[in-house]
Amino acid sequence: MRLQTRLCGILLDNPIIPASGTFGFGYEHARFYDINCLGSIALKGTTLEARFGNPTPRIAEAPSGLLNAVGLQNPGVDTVIAEELPKLRACFHKPAIANISGFSEQDYVETARKMNDCPEIGWLEINISCPNVHDGGMSFGVSCESAAAITAAVRKATTKPLILKLSPNVTDIASIAKACEEAGADAISLINTVLAMRIELRTRKPVLANTTGGLSGPAIFPLALRMVRDVYRAVSIPVVGIGGVQSAEDVLEMMMAGACAVQIGAANLVDPYLCPKIIDALPDTMDRYGIATLQEIIGIAVQ
Amino acid sequence: MHSIQQQVKVLENTCVAENTWHLRTTSTGHAFQAPGQFANLQIPGYFLRRPISIADWNEGELSFYYRVQGDGTRALSRMVPGQNIDILVNLGNGFTPQSDVRPVLIGGGIGTAPLLGLARRIAAQSPIVILGFQNKQQIFGLEAFQKASTEVHIATDDGSAGTHGFVTDVLQSTSLQQTLQNTVPYIYTCGPMGMLRAVYQLCSMLHYDGQFSLEERMGCGFGDCMGCSIKTANGYQRICKDGPVFTKSQLFWEAKEKMDPSVLKNSAQRMQFPSEATVKTASSEKEVCG
């Protein structure tokens, strides 16, 4: 009860959600622990067509984090619905968050439309960090206009709660969040990864085959926290905090900054058992800080 | 379900050859199921774990060999007996021993490490072992291989020990080809990518089947992040979970490269080829931290 929280009206047992791209479609992680302990799961980014993603190397280390340039490897929405979701349903008995990516408005709409009928899916999380192939490759999420356009288009395609996942590689994330809210988003999740790079000294070339990649992990936690606060103060819809969370204390900090739920990504890659450890640690950690219920601290530090 | 996370203690961490270290740790059982699997080691101060092939294991003890190539493995080499390491075990598929074959184990540099545990376990099949190193200062593990095999061959790039040349020179040598006549040779190999490709091409020419242990920079090391995916004949596979060992038929390197016998025989030409990746233990440092 103390750990309960709501996301678009749907009750979560706790605010802990593995982030998209770090937990596959969930069922493979069930060999480590009973994944029903989680609040929910954000599934691997799904696109209309199957994608292999970028050539390797796709991973580079960073101080207190990592870079990834995986490139949305996934089997395509039809296979996700036909094969991945049933495997998830067999071992996970709560609604999951589907994560959708696309390279044109039509991509997003068609994928959302197909996912709309899936009973396993409680929310559609729309990843607008993807480059728009029709717009010179600029990410949908870098301007209010394109972010709102995607939101409005997907809004028409689904009755499920719509979470817009925002990129931090922007000038003013709060205004983009507002634009998404006005266009029909039911919640905002942030942040996606931060555009970054590493160079291999021995070869004098970028480490990643893709040259650049997304930075995640504890290194970005203070940045994510600040952006969660900015967005929380700008919109009235729920905010999901993502970025470098690796402890129960981090979860509390994110919630005090305005998050009603928290996604854990990079830290999962280092400790596959981290999420249940955090869930177990939360009550005692809350006691230490005089917190009776999580819902009472949402946004409390940034009013 | 057994946890793959273990807190183990360092028993020994010593330099056994040029830039090559031997790490022995405790283990709480159920750590590994097959030779060629790997562990993912947490190094304090470094975010991503370092994937290191298991060289051998028995109840209560694990044995690794690794090369110091950067900050992370340098920090690992400074760990002393009694110190704790957080490791994830039982990762990867490992080698699958085949029956009714004459096993040929081919290792390059630090890639020889996972073949140690394999050699010990298939000693009854009289394995032939071919180990390639840059020079004699880098040779390690020889006694352990000699316990499991009476046919251990060394090749060094500079000729300072054994055959002057590459493991493929040894494999296609007249004497070894004679030994392998009237047998069904089966290759188990691990080493730098350049070596793996040369072995692959030679196997294609000689019609040998085998298993290849690959590697790539990894994120999680247990299949969740898709950081190490490669295309195989079976579709997209993760080196950390569906591999690191792949059968020859799963790899389609031939599509990219024409089979050119002169590539295999010309040592000097081959020495110009840069390795695209080095073995997991060596590159676990280099590849992960960039």
Side-chain angles (χ1 to χ4, degrees):
Chain A
M1 304 298 290
R2 299 181 69 190
L3 306 188
Q4 276 179 351
T5 186
R6 282 187 184 277
L7 179 55
C8 308
I10 301 173
L11 188 67
L12 302 177
D13 292 331
N14 61 65
I16 306 305
I17 303 170
S20 177
T22 69
F23 215 70
F25 290 96
Y27 57 86
E28 276 191 341
H29 215 94
R31 74 185 189 278
F32 299 130
Y33 55 85
D34 182 358
I35 58 176
N36 290 290
C37 71
L38 302 165
S40 182
I41 301 171
L43 304 179
K44 173 72 191 178
T46 300
T47 50
L48 191 61
E49 306 294 336
R51 288 177 55 85
F52 173 61
N54 291 323
T56 54
R58 299 170 163 183
I59 302 287
E61 191 167 58
S64 297
L66 73 148
L67 275 66
N68 94 80
V70 172
L72 292 171
Q73 176 178 335
N74 78 98
V77 64
D78 290 340
T79 304
V80 168
I81 293 173
E83 294 180 18
E84 303 298 313
L85 293 186
K87 288 182 194 162
L88 173 66
R89 183 173 58 228
C91 61
F92 186 63
H93 310 125
K94 303 183 180 183
I97 304 173
N99 180 291
I100 292 174
S101 282
F103 302 92
S104 68
E105 197 176 286
Q106 186 165 350
D107 281 354
Y108 282 101
V109 167
E110 272 190 57
T111 311
R113 197 172 280 141
K114 294 189 187 216
M115 287 262 182
N116 184 57
D117 300 326
C118 299
E120 302 88 351
I121 303 302
W123 309 256
L124 297 190
E125 181 180 55
I126 311 299
N127 169 19
I128 52 174
S129 302
C130 300
N132 179 354
V133 298
H134 296 306
D135 196 12
M138 287 297 287
S139 143
F140 287 99
V142 303
S143 82
C144 296
E145 293 73 35
S146 53
I150 292 292
T151 307
V154 176
R155 176 72 286 167
K156 292 203 204 86
T158 181
T159 52
K160 289 197 193 288
L162 212 53
I163 308 173
L164 267 289
K165 182 169 180 180
L166 303 187
S167 161
N169 306 304
V170 297
T171 325
D172 181 4
I173 200 167
S175 62
I176 293 172
K178 269 188 88 65
C180 293
E181 180 185 35
E182 278 154 21
D186 298 304
I188 306 288
S189 64
L190 74 157
I191 52 174
N192 208 323
T193 54
V194 186
L195 213 50
M197 188 178 80
R198 293 303 306 264
I199 291 171
E200 165 88 62
L201 294 180
R202 195 181 49 89
T203 61
R204 302 171 182 182
K205 289 188 155 69
V207 170
L208 299 170
N210 192 56
T211 304
T212 56
L215 174 66
S216 61
I220 70 171
F221 178 71
L223 172 66
L225 193 81
R226 189 269 299 173
M227 289 186 154
V228 163
R229 171 255 186 197
D230 286 355
V231 167
Y232 174 75
R233 283 158 61 94
V235 302
S236 319
I237 52 180
V239 174
V240 178
I242 320 168
V245 173
Q246 55 173 354
S247 67
E249 285 86 349
D250 291 345
V251 172
L252 298 179
E253 211 174 320
M254 270 287 190
M255 295 188 80
M256 287 193 182
C260 66
V262 168
Q263 291 187 16
I264 298 175
N268 255 331
L269 306 186
V270 171
D271 183 354
Y273 302 94
L274 184 67
C275 286
K277 285 179 188 169
I278 291 181
I279 294 166
D280 287 344
L282 270 169
D284 281 352
T285 314
M286 289 161 70
D287 287 343
R288 224 179 307 136
Y289 294 99
I291 301 168
T293 68
L294 285 178
Q295 293 198 272
E296 80 195 25
I297 62 164
I298 296 173
I300 203 166
V302 300
Q303 303 294 351
Chain B
M1 43 187 112
H2 292 296
S3 172
I4 63 165
Q5 187 171 30
Q6 292 194 1
Q7 308 299 324
V8 301
K9 280 214 178 327
V10 177
L11 293 171
E12 177 195 335
N13 193 13
T14 48
C15 188
V16 295
E18 186 179 81
N19 218 23
T20 308
W21 290 70
H22 184 205
L23 172 70
R24 279 192 312 121
T25 74
T26 59
S27 166
T28 51
H30 303 285
F32 291 95
Q33 292 172 19
Q37 288 187 299
F38 65 99
N40 227 352
L41 275 54
Q42 183 81 74
I43 319 277
Y46 297 89
F47 187 72
L48 289 176
R49 291 175 183 265
R50 267 46 179 173
I52 309 225
S53 293
I54 186 76
D56 210 344
W57 78 98
N58 57 45
E59 224 172 273
E61 212 176 283
L62 306 178
S63 172
F64 304 93
Y65 291 89
Y66 61 96
R67 189 182 283 166
V68 170
Q69 288 234 314
D71 291 346
T73 40
R74 198 166 298 121
L76 178 60
S77 72
R78 295 202 187 105
M79 290 184 125
V80 294
Q83 249 182 299
N84 223 64
I85 319 185
D86 178 324
I87 69 176
L88 302 181
V89 296
N90 203 25
L91 300 176
N93 58 354
F95 292 106
T96 308
Q98 305 292 297
S99 37
D100 304 320
V101 296
R102 186 72 198 271
V104 183
L105 277 51
I106 304 178
I110 201 71
T112 58
L115 298 176
L116 265 163
L118 176 63
R120 184 163 76 80
R121 279 162 182 80
I122 62 171
Q125 289 184 301
S126 307
I128 294 166
V129 177
I130 308 173
L131 308 174
F133 297 94
Q134 283 179 10
N135 53 56
K136 73 168 184 224
Q137 288 80 8
Q138 297 193 1
I139 296 174
F140 71 94
L142 211 47
E143 303 92 69
F145 279 113
Q146 282 163 344
K147 278 201 197 111
S149 164
T150 54
E151 281 245 28
V152 179
H153 305 265
I154 301 280
T156 48
D157 296 3
D158 69 359
S160 50
T163 300
H164 184 176
F166 293 92
V167 292
T168 41
D169 294 325
V170 176
L171 181 58
Q172 64 188 325
S173 67
T174 323
S175 57
L176 201 56
Q177 285 298 304
Q178 240 167 22
T179 308
L180 290 172
Q181 227 173 27
N182 303 321
T183 71
V184 181
Y186 193 88
I187 308 296
Y188 301 90
T189 182
C190 184
M193 189 56 106
M195 185 208 87
L196 292 180
R197 284 185 186 264
V199 169
Y200 180 96
Q201 287 195 10
L202 186 52
C203 285
S204 296
M205 270 173 48
L206 298 172
H207 304 291
Y208 295 167
D209 203 354
Q211 296 172 20
F212 293 70
S213 182
L214 304 187
E215 61 168 1
E216 184 50 86
R217 284 175 184 265
M218 292 179 182
C220 60
F222 46 83
D224 270 4
C225 73
M226 302 295 162
C228 60
S229 288
I230 56 164
K231 292 185 188 177
T232 71
N234 294 6
Y236 309 137
Q237 307 233 275
R238 295 154 291 185
I239 290 182
C240 68
K241 183 150 194 285
D242 309 307
V245 177
F246 295 92
T247 59
K248 185 173 177 297
S249 56
Q250 288 178 289
L251 304 168
F252 35 62
W253 292 337
E254 262 149 6
K256 276 192 185 168
E257 291 165 25
K258 290 205 180 81
M259 282 185 288
D260 180 5
S262 71
V263 170
L264 303 169
K265 291 204 159 88
N266 188 338
S267 317
Q269 184 186 346
R270 255 180 298 144
M271 280 170 108
Q272 313 283 316
F273 286 166
S275 299
E276 291 160 48
T278 55
V279 211
K280 197 189 281 86
T281 46
S283 67
S284 62
E285 173 48 52
K286 188 162 49 107
E287 290 190 337
V288 168
C289 82

